Amino acid sequence: MKQSEIKELSVAELQEKLSESKKSYSDLKLAHAISPLENPIQLRGIRRTVARIATELTKRELQ
């Protein structure tokens, strides 16, 4: 997800996306530990998406 897409979401939607992204990251990480992923760069992309969403949530809490 891009930062512009994240800014348009509501707080509830952000929390939902955050939990979905964390779950998919843990699933991919486990799958990668068992057998190498075809595209391991996916892990980095999802991890960065989680960070972007968490940053936006924190930013909104501070405002």
Side-chain angles (χ1 to χ4, degrees), residues 15-29 46-47 49-51 53-54 57:
Q15 290 172 340
E16 183 180 328
K17 289 278 188 188
L18 183 62
S19 64
E20 288 175 10
S21 296
K22 282 184 176 181
K23 178 163 178 21
S24 67
Y25 177 69
S26 64
D27 291 345
L28 274 178
K29 197 170 177 183
I46 294 175
R47 189 175 64 239
T49 300
V50 168
I53 294 170
L57 280 171

Side-chain angles (χ1 to χ4, degrees), residues 47-62:
R47 189 175 64 239
R48 288 181 178 179
T49 300
V50 168
R52 285 187 190 110
I53 294 170
T55 301
E56 183 65 25
L57 280 171
T58 303
K59 182 176 141 186
R60 291 186 187 187
E61 286 177 3
L62 295 175

Side-chain angles (χ1 to χ4, degrees), residues 5-41:
E5 296 171 354
I6 291 173
K7 286 183 179 182
E8 295 173 358
L9 299 175
S10 69
V11 174
E13 290 172 329
L14 284 173
Q15 290 172 340
E16 183 180 328
K17 289 278 188 188
L18 183 62
S19 64
E20 288 175 10
S21 296
K22 282 184 176 181
K23 178 163 178 21
S24 67
Y25 177 69
S26 64
D27 291 345
L28 274 178
K29 197 170 177 183
L30 180 64
H32 186 61
I34 294 170
S35 64
L37 292 175
E38 188 172 315
N39 185 7
I41 303 301

